[in-house]
Amino acid sequence: MKTMMLILLGVRMLFLVFACFGCVFAIVSGLRPGVEWYWPAGGVLGLGLCGFLIGQVWASLKATWKQ
């Protein structure tokens, strides 16, 4: 059971890292001239949310590993 939980948390962490790359891409793409202001702003908000969720998953991984 512990192994399956660690695998699922690892997969969740992987998807969150990919989401962070998408947010960074949105920020970089939004800084081009002619792009509306809300594209980079949304990327920054998304990156902050991803960072928060990665912290939560990391805490769950550490707690599961110690069990």
Side-chain angles (χ1 to χ4, degrees), residues 3 10-11 14-16 18 20 22 25-27 39-42 47 50 55-56 64 67:
T3 305
V11 169
L14 183 67
F15 281 125
L16 284 170
F18 285 148
C20 284
F25 178 75
I27 293 168
W39 284 102
L47 194 60
C50 285
Q56 296 295 315
T64 303
Q67 286 182 356

Side-chain angles (χ1 to χ4, degrees), residues 20-58:
C20 284
F21 286 134
C23 291
V24 169
F25 178 75
I27 293 168
V28 171
S29 297
L31 294 177
R32 293 183 313 196
V35 178
E36 297 294 332
W37 64 271
Y38 48 81
W39 284 102
V44 169
L45 289 174
L47 194 60
L49 179 64
C50 285
F52 171 75
L53 291 175
I54 285 174
Q56 296 295 315
V57 171
W58 184 254

